[in-house]
Amino acid sequence: MINDGCFRGTPLYMAPEAGRGQQRGRSDVWSLGCCMFEAITGVEPWLDIKRECGTRESIIFEIARQTQPPPMDEAIWNRLSEPLKDFYRCIFEVV
């Protein structure tokens, strides 16, 4: 959210704090994590939220309530190397 009260960015890649109007540099790291999620899984992050919510604003507000990273299929997760899993956990640290 910018000072004018408008949201800027792609909702599925916005950090939860951005949806609460508390965006900061760390928010860009979360967005990078969402790109990483899509590169690993081949699907957009928060696809379930996108399907459930009817508007851009409702997607933003639902993601703002999240305290965990986008859920990853267990079979995909189990194939990741330990260093990649560690990086993934770090990049999605919820602050």
Side-chain angles (χ1 to χ4, degrees):
M1 185 182 311
I2 307 300
N3 292 340
D4 63 4
C6 295
F7 290 101
R8 305 283 195 286
T10 305
L12 297 177
Y13 297 81
M14 292 174 71
E17 65 268 16
R20 295 189 295 267
Q22 301 167 338
Q23 187 165 347
R24 53 191 179 275
R26 177 92 179 104
S27 302
D28 292 337
V29 175
W30 177 282
S31 297
L32 174 64
C34 289
C35 292
M36 180 181 165
F37 176 90
E38 186 170 355
I40 292 169
T41 65
V43 297
E44 293 176 306
W46 308 117
L47 206 49
D48 53 337
I49 290 175
K50 182 179 179 180
R51 288 184 186 126
E52 292 171 11
C53 297
T55 66
R56 181 177 192 272
E57 289 77 14
S58 62
I59 292 170
I60 292 168
F61 290 122
E62 186 59 34
I63 290 173
R65 296 170 18 122
Q66 302 305 306
T67 59
Q68 299 293 317
M72 187 180 295
D73 181 85
E74 188 175 348
I76 293 172
W77 179 259
N78 290 337
R79 288 191 302 252
L80 300 180
S81 68
E82 285 306 314
L84 186 55
K85 288 178 183 178
D86 289 342
F87 181 72
Y88 186 83
R89 288 182 196 106
C90 283
I91 209 166
F92 279 113
E93 243 179 50
V94 177
V95 290

